[in-house]
């Protein structure tokens, strides 16, 4: 039997981590078994439906490299894969259940249903339909149909006994039939199917063999099993996945931080890192190993390695994964990934929900000084040119950025960090005020001595590098010697230089930064800073 699984979201919002984890586990299970991963749109909720959410679904799976086999633009032999295009099928099979005596027409209007709800609420009774129309005679049913009274079709849930099913993760589960939602609607008055009917019919005709979904769906499963029984169909194997929770043990939500995949994209996460981390939320692979490329996950995934307990989404752990994946990249690949955030284009332009707790990342020309022109070339922004920055060519800009990549690679937490780290190369760095230049253990006069010596230091640095006499260790030793000459600690020697050259206390490694910027430019900035002391 070929394994066939599906991810069937409702396009009523942006894709979030919980949905992505469900999609990923289904995808990995299919790949591990040589089966098929089907993408289906359950779009019967028309009040919240949006085409932008459909596109976001496709974009998200593409970005994560979760490739589906059937559905969406790819089609397939069991289509259409959109519920709103299958209404005739749902109506046919709802009517079939009525003919078999497993369902019935219900003519209760909204006024009566509201009255029942009010009585149940007032008397603290369990909610649900009172099964009034279940007891109509065939003659009464026909009379109502002849009068063209609006109706829904409801399932006849057994009044006694239990419904049992086996869950691949949780084992045998038993549910009293009296606790199942009483005779739920299958087909609405407007001909729209409910989720339950469409879900069962689609899974059957798309030959779905395994249903892997979140544990919040467990209460619906006895109803689904009853529907399969009513149709006379074999139900698929069920596997209810552990929940994804925040650090407080509650279901992951916006209050915990980013949950929409678009937020992760815009905030500079690597898709490979996100996939790796999410794949480990509630599942284990190989002992003592953390880094798993997607192709390894496809081979190693096993359903019996899933955990029953909910998984906690740890943003710090994901940040660690993000850093690891960036460090494994070539300089060329890292350049390609950070460029949209440096220029404020592509993923960097995706809207995010910024707040005081989760501020917007510092990306784009305001931080890097660079813009991406319509012809694809890079240029220093007009704002920075007007402020006195150098007008560099596209080739010069790309050359400097490529030189910067190995310097920042070890320091990046997110792709968004690159814009601010690159800014000193292209922006007109304003001389910092004296209070920012002077280290805590030095005074203004001594700091001025440091900057004066810095001019000698960077000149010797430039000469030594050009002559090939200074490797990385020798460059560091030159800085130590310069500090010792003045009788100051290395940190107190480097900090004023860093502030003068980059305008920030935090920057890529200083010596490398000076060499990329150019000694003449660095010397100019140091002299301007000295004038503030």
């Amino acid at each position: 039997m070929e394994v066939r699984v599906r991810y069937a979201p409702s396009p009523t919002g942006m894709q979030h981590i919980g949905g992505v984890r469900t999609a990923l586990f289904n995808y990995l299970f299919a790949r591990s078994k040589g089966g098929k991963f089907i993408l289906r749109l359950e779009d019967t909720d028309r009040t919240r439906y949006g085409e932008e959410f459909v596109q976001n679904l496709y974009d998200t799976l593409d970005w994560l490299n979760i490739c589906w086999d059937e559905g969406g633009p790819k089609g397939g032999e069991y289509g259409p894969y959109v519920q709103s295009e299958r209404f005739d099928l749902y109506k046919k099979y709802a009517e079939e259940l009525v003919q078999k005596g497993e369902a019935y027409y219900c003519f209760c209007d909204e006024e009566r249903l509201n009255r029942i709800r009010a009585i149940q609420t007032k008397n603290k009774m369990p909610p649900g339909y009172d099964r009034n129309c279940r007891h109509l005679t065939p003659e009464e049913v026909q009379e109502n149909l002849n009068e063209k009274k609006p109706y829904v079709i409801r399932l006849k849930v057994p009044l006694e006994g239990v419904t049992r099913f086996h869950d691949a993760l949780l084992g045998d589960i038993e549910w009293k039939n009296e606790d199942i939602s009483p005779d739920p609607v299958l087909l609405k008055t407007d001909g729209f199917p409910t989720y339950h009917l469409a879900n069962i019919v689609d899974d059957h005709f798309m030959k779905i063999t395994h249903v892997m979904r979140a544990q919040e769906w467990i209460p619906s499963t006895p109803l689904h099993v009853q529907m399969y029984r009513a149709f006379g169909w074999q139900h698929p194997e069920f596997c209810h996945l552990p929940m994804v929770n925040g650090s407080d043990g509650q279901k992951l939500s916006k209050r915990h931080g980013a949950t929409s995949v678009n937020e992760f994209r815009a905030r500079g996460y690597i898709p490979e890192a996100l996939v790796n981390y999410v794949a480990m939320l509630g599942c284990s692979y190989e002992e003592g190993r953390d880094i798993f490329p997607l192709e390894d996950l496809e081979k190693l995934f096993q359903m019996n390695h899933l955990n029953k307990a909910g998984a906690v989404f740890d943003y710090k752990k994901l940040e660690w994964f993000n850093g690891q994946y960036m460090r494994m990249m070539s300089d060329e690949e890292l350049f390609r990934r950070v460029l949209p955030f440096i220029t404020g284009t592509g993923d960097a332009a995706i809207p995010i929900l910024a707040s005081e707790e989760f501020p917007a990342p510092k990306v784009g020309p305001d931080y890097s000084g660079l813009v991406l022109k319509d012809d694809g070339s890079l240029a220093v922004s007009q704002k920075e040119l007007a402020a006195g920055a150098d007008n560099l060519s596209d080739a010069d800009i790309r050359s400097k950025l490529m030189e910067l990549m190995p310097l920042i690679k070890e320091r990046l937490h997110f792709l968004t960090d690159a814009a601010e780290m690159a800014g000193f190369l292209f922006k007109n760095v304003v001389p910092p005020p004296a209070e920012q230049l002077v280290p805590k253990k030095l005074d203004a006069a001594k700091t001025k001595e440091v900057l004066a010596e810095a001019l000698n230091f960077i000149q010797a640095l430039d000469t030594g590098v050009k002559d090939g006499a200074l490797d990385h260790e020798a460059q560091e030793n030159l800085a130590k010697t310069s500090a010792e000459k003045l009788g100051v600690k290395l940190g107190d020697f480097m900090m004023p230089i860093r502030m003068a050259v980059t305008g920030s206390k935090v920057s890529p490694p200083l010596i490398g930064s000076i060499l990329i910027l150019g000694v003449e430019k660095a010397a100019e900035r140091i002299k301007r800073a000295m004038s503030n002391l």
Side-chain angles (χ1 to χ4, degrees):
M1 178 183 66
E2 180 186 57
V3 166
R4 290 177 59 83
V5 295
R6 45 74 169 175
Y7 178 49
S10 175
T12 55
M14 297 297 183
Q15 290 297 298
H16 55 85
I17 286 298
V20 163
R21 207 277 304 266
T22 297
L24 180 59
F25 278 6
N26 275 279
Y27 168 82
L28 294 177
F29 180 64
R31 292 293 175 266
S32 71
K33 299 294 184 182
K36 295 288 175 61
F37 174 57
I38 291 90
L39 185 61
R40 189 171 77 216
L41 290 183
E42 300 193 339
D43 64 338
T44 53
D45 183 353
R46 304 307 292 186
T47 57
R48 296 187 297 153
Y49 172 88
E51 282 294 334
E52 69 274 22
F53 303 137
V54 177
Q55 190 58 50
N56 176 251
L57 168 65
Y58 300 148
D59 291 346
T60 297
L61 295 183
D62 283 341
W63 183 69
L64 295 170
N65 199 27
I66 299 176
C67 302
W68 64 94
D69 300 296
E70 299 174 23
K74 296 182 181 180
E77 62 178 306
Y78 299 102
Y81 293 85
V82 179
Q83 285 186 340
S84 59
E85 298 173 15
R86 299 168 63 86
F87 280 3
D88 289 346
L89 188 67
Y90 305 136
K91 182 173 177 59
K92 173 185 176 183
Y93 281 91
E95 295 284 359
E96 180 182 298
L97 287 184
V98 173
Q99 300 306 314
K100 293 172 68 175
E102 298 287 355
Y104 59 93
Y105 298 114
C106 172
F107 302 95
C108 294
D109 58 25
E110 196 61 34
E111 182 182 349
R112 181 178 186 278
L113 294 175
N114 287 334
R115 195 162 63 248
I116 294 169
R117 290 189 199 103
I119 292 171
Q120 290 170 337
T121 300
K122 183 178 180 180
N123 295 286
K124 297 181 179 178
M125 299 165 63
Y129 181 55
D130 65 352
R131 294 185 165 105
N132 178 69
C133 289
R134 181 166 175 157
H135 309 294
L136 295 177
T137 65
E139 292 76 21
E140 288 172 320
V141 170
Q142 192 58 53
E143 183 180 341
N144 285 325
L145 291 175
N146 291 341
E147 292 177 5
K148 299 192 180 319
K149 278 191 178 181
Y151 65 83
V152 299
I153 293 180
R154 293 181 179 273
L155 179 72
K156 279 187 181 178
V157 176
L159 303 178
E160 299 176 341
V162 296
T163 296
R164 299 181 181 88
F165 63 93
H166 180 79
D167 185 279
L169 177 59
L170 303 175
D172 294 329
I173 295 176
E174 187 175 282
W175 208 278
K176 290 182 180 178
N177 289 335
E178 64 186 48
D179 293 332
I180 298 176
S181 177
D183 296 6
V185 174
L186 300 180
L187 198 71
K188 304 174 191 176
T189 53
D190 57 7
F192 271 58
T194 60
Y195 164 81
H196 301 294
L197 175 64
N199 179 276
I200 297 312
V201 170
D202 288 346
D203 279 352
H204 175 73
F205 285 103
M206 293 180 188
K207 301 188 182 299
I208 301 302
T209 60
H210 298 75
V211 169
M212 300 175 69
R213 57 189 178 189
Q215 288 181 8
E216 61 188 341
W217 287 104
I218 289 176
S220 297
T221 307
L223 171 62
H224 295 170
V225 171
Q226 281 295 336
M227 291 176 68
Y228 278 107
R229 178 201 57 78
F231 279 120
W233 299 337
Q234 179 65 42
H235 65 72
E237 291 189 39
F238 296 107
C239 179
H240 289 91
L241 304 170
M243 299 296 291
V244 180
N245 299 321
S247 56
D248 57 1
Q250 300 300 307
K251 184 178 177 182
L252 190 69
S253 68
K254 292 175 185 175
R255 70 178 181 277
H256 298 109
T259 55
S260 160
V261 176
N262 267 9
E263 284 266 330
F264 287 99
R265 290 183 69 169
R267 291 182 180 275
Y269 287 85
I270 304 290
E272 295 91 334
L274 194 60
V275 165
N276 192 153
Y277 179 63
V278 170
M280 300 177 78
L281 289 174
C283 190
S284 58
Y285 298 87
E286 284 184 355
E287 195 71 33
R289 180 183 172 192
D290 287 313
I291 302 299
F292 294 94
L294 185 58
E295 55 268 26
D296 287 0
L297 293 169
E298 292 173 5
K299 298 170 187 172
L300 295 170
F301 183 87
Q302 293 184 46
M303 200 179 281
N304 60 2
H305 285 179
L306 292 169
N307 303 324
K308 293 181 182 180
V312 175
F313 195 93
D314 185 336
Y315 289 88
K316 278 295 179 187
K317 185 70 172 176
L318 174 58
E319 183 180 327
W320 178 85
F321 275 99
N322 213 50
Q324 294 302 307
Y325 273 88
M326 285 189 285
R327 315 226 202 295
M328 291 189 290
M329 290 179 187
S330 67
D331 294 343
E332 292 77 12
E333 178 65 11
L334 183 62
F335 173 81
R336 185 182 71 81
R337 301 278 190 126
V338 299
L339 190 58
F341 298 96
I342 288 173
T343 59
T345 59
D347 284 355
I350 294 174
I352 59 171
L353 298 171
S355 65
E356 187 175 339
E357 191 176 1
F358 307 107
K362 297 175 179 179
V363 298
D366 285 347
Y367 297 95
S368 69
L370 295 179
V371 294
L372 183 69
K373 297 169 74 174
D374 291 341
D375 62 3
S377 64
L378 295 171
V380 177
S381 71
Q382 288 298 321
K383 176 183 174 183
E384 293 303 327
L385 292 175
D390 292 342
N391 190 5
L392 301 174
S393 69
D394 173 76
D396 285 341
I397 292 171
R398 291 178 184 273
S399 175
K400 286 183 180 296
L401 286 174
M402 278 301 299
E403 287 183 77
L404 187 67
M405 291 303 108
L407 289 188
I408 67 174
K409 189 181 289 186
E410 293 297 324
R411 301 196 175 198
L412 292 175
H413 298 278
F414 309 99
L415 295 173
T416 47
D417 297 336
E420 204 169 17
M421 287 187 178
F424 77 96
L425 291 172
F426 311 106
K427 291 166 69 73
N428 181 50
V429 174
V430 177
E435 60 268 22
Q436 292 183 20
L437 277 169
V438 179
K440 288 182 179 179
K441 294 184 178 179
L442 303 184
D443 57 19
K446 193 64 177 179
T447 302
K448 200 164 188 176
E449 279 186 53
V450 166
L451 291 177
E453 179 59 29
L455 294 172
N456 299 324
F457 162 65
I458 65 172
Q459 191 59 57
L461 185 68
D462 185 49
T463 302
V465 170
K466 287 178 179 176
D467 292 346
L470 290 179
D471 58 15
H472 178 72
E473 185 177 352
Q475 294 168 17
E476 297 285 346
N477 288 333
L478 181 62
K480 291 177 184 175
T481 302
S482 299
E484 289 168 0
K485 180 179 175 182
L486 293 173
V488 300
K489 290 185 177 180
L490 180 62
D492 289 334
F493 177 71
M494 300 293 267
M495 193 277 270
I497 306 174
R498 185 184 303 278
M499 286 299 302
V501 172
T502 70
S504 172
K505 290 181 180 179
V506 181
S507 72
L510 181 57
I511 293 175
S513 297
I514 291 170
L515 293 173
I516 297 172
L517 179 67
V519 166
E520 286 185 16
K521 195 72 179 175
E524 177 192 322
R525 292 181 181 181
I526 290 170
K527 290 173 183 176
R528 286 163 59 193
M530 288 172 68
S531 66
N532 279 3
L533 295 171

